[in-house]
Amino acid sequence: MLQVNPKMLPRLAEIEKDLILRRKRAEDEQWLGEIEGIDMTLTFVRTKQADAARTARRTTVLLGLPGPRPSNG
């Protein structure tokens, strides 16, 4: 699955804004098929925004470098 970099959140917001404007125009022009397609794309964009925001909230865990096991003896 493709993960969106959290740095792309502003771009996703731009895309969402543009889609909302395109949907309004499609409603005004009564382009029913276009509205359905835009709604699907909006759902996808909003899901990606939520995924990217969730990724941005995660903290990094440093596990260190593996080393040799201590010997018992």
Side-chain angles (χ1 to χ4, degrees), residues 12-28 38-39 41-42 45-46 49:
L12 288 172
E14 283 180 40
I15 292 169
E16 180 184 25
K17 182 180 172 183
D18 181 58
L19 285 168
I20 291 169
L21 292 173
R22 287 176 54 195
R23 189 182 193 288
K24 179 167 179 5
R25 172 139 189 243
E27 283 177 349
D28 293 344
I38 291 171
D39 286 344
T41 305
L42 272 169
V45 167
R46 289 173 178 157
Q49 284 175 318

Side-chain angles (χ1 to χ4, degrees), residues 6-63:
K7 294 177 185 177
M8 293 300 296
L9 280 170
R11 178 67 180 129
L12 288 172
E14 283 180 40
I15 292 169
E16 180 184 25
K17 182 180 172 183
D18 181 58
L19 285 168
I20 291 169
L21 292 173
R22 287 176 54 195
R23 189 182 193 288
K24 179 167 179 5
R25 172 139 189 243
E27 283 177 349
D28 293 344
E29 300 289 335
Q30 298 181 357
W31 297 334
L32 302 180
E34 187 73 12
I35 293 170
E36 184 178 343
I38 291 171
D39 286 344
M40 288 174 51
T41 305
L42 272 169
T43 300
F44 177 74
V45 167
R46 289 173 178 157
T47 300
K48 287 298 176 185
Q49 284 175 318
D51 291 346
R54 195 170 25 259
T55 300
R57 286 191 302 268
R58 278 192 214 147
T59 58
T60 303
V61 177
L62 299 176
L63 299 176

